[in-house]
Amino acid sequence: GIQVEQSPPDLILQEGANSTLRCNFSDSVNNLQWFHQNPWGQLINLFYIPSGTKQNGRLSATTVATERYSLLYISSSQTTDSGVYFCAAPPRRGFQKLVFGTGTRLLVSP
Amino acid sequence: DVKVTQSSRYLVKRTGEKVFLECVQDMDHENMFWYRQDPGLGLRLIYFSYDVKMKEKGDIPEGYSVSREKKERFSLILESASTNQTSMYLCASSQPPGQGAVYTFGSGTRLTVV
């Protein structure tokens, strides 16, 4: 099945800084999603991005499917951005379940 | 506001008890999923369902069963709880690919088995 790897595993930022999180996957995918898990455990879907670029406020994501990676950009980070960021993809094209990466733990300090 | 609701936020059960974790979604989604999350192991799929009364095993189904009698409800059952089932349990729902396969998660149930 597909392997989903995320980097870096941990990231500490000062409030206001920008950051880039990376997700590499071992096979072609048609359903790549990014999630944010807050300190209370709630997972929120940030992007459904099988290819191309999407933006939502201070967050944006780009997936280059042919090169098997996706990037999540966080600009002007805030303390509320702290938590764990996961990317996830189906194990095979057309499958409906997702395989999750091990996550990037982000701490934004004031 | 669309929702996936898990019946309990925290749960403490004794070893050997039968445990029911309930999940309800109000989005008319076809697919529903149960994951468990453990430190260092990430999210692992236990079971999923793509239709009423249909279920498929995920990566770690041992010690668990599921029930989906109605489209909106997906229950996870621990037949005889054990301490190694202490974990965070997360329910999710989605539509199939081609209909917008975005996952929506519930807020999780933190289960402790003593």
Side-chain angles (χ1 to χ4, degrees):
Chain A
I2 196 170
Q3 303 295 317
V4 181
E5 295 180 353
Q6 292 185 243
S7 60
D10 296 283
L11 190 57
I12 300 174
L13 297 175
Q14 203 73 18
E15 200 168 24
N18 303 328
S19 63
T20 302
L21 282 57
R22 187 177 179 101
C23 174
N24 292 329
F25 36 93
S26 59
D27 203 351
S28 61
V29 298
N30 62 345
N31 175 1
L32 191 289
Q33 300 186 35
W34 282 96
F35 298 86
H36 174 228
Q37 187 170 37
N38 67 23
W40 296 272
Q42 175 73 60
L43 271 157
I44 303 295
N45 191 291
L46 298 175
F47 293 103
Y48 168 76
I49 184 163
S51 63
T53 297
K54 289 186 178 180
Q55 180 142 12
N56 184 0
R58 296 181 295 103
L59 303 181
S60 65
T62 296
T63 296
V64 183
T66 53
E67 297 187 23
R68 300 179 185 174
Y69 72 89
S70 183
L71 302 174
L72 178 69
Y73 305 96
I74 305 173
S75 64
S76 303
S77 58
Q78 300 176 359
T79 56
T80 52
D81 295 331
S82 296
V84 184
Y85 290 81
F86 292 98
C87 66
R92 292 180 186 80
R93 182 175 285 270
F95 271 47
Q96 299 173 57
K97 61 181 183 178
L98 292 179
V99 174
F100 283 76
T102 51
T104 292
R105 185 174 299 274
L106 173 65
L107 176 63
V108 181
S109 56
Chain B
D1 194 18
V2 293
K3 272 189 177 175
V4 176
T5 303
Q6 294 184 230
S7 53
S8 302
R9 190 78 178 94
Y10 297 95
L11 212 51
V12 180
K13 295 292 182 180
R14 294 193 181 278
T15 301
E17 276 192 76
K18 191 168 186 176
V19 181
F20 294 85
L21 302 183
E22 305 287 347
C23 176
V24 177
Q25 51 99 359
D26 64 0
M27 296 166 283
D28 201 35
H29 281 171
E30 303 287 334
N31 303 325
M32 296 188 75
F33 308 85
W34 276 105
Y35 286 83
R36 65 176 281 177
Q37 184 177 21
D38 301 286
L41 296 176
L43 279 83
R44 294 178 292 166
L45 181 64
I46 305 171
Y47 268 98
F48 68 102
S49 168
Y50 50 88
D51 201 351
V52 175
K53 297 190 186 293
M54 305 299 286
K55 60 186 180 184
E56 284 198 25
K57 293 180 180 179
D59 301 315
I60 51 164
E62 297 79 18
Y64 303 94
S65 62
V66 291
S67 171
R68 194 166 181 201
E69 297 295 319
K70 293 185 178 181
K71 190 175 185 180
E72 67 271 19
R73 186 180 297 270
F74 191 36
S75 303
L76 180 69
I77 303 155
L78 287 66
E79 298 291 341
S80 176
S82 63
T83 54
N84 63 13
Q85 292 178 310
T86 291
S87 186
M88 170 72 117
Y89 290 88
L90 294 157
C91 175
S93 71
S94 79
Q95 288 289 46
Q99 297 182 35
V102 173
Y103 267 42
T104 301
F105 276 91
S107 55
T109 295
R110 194 169 292 280
L111 172 67
T112 302
V113 182
V114 298

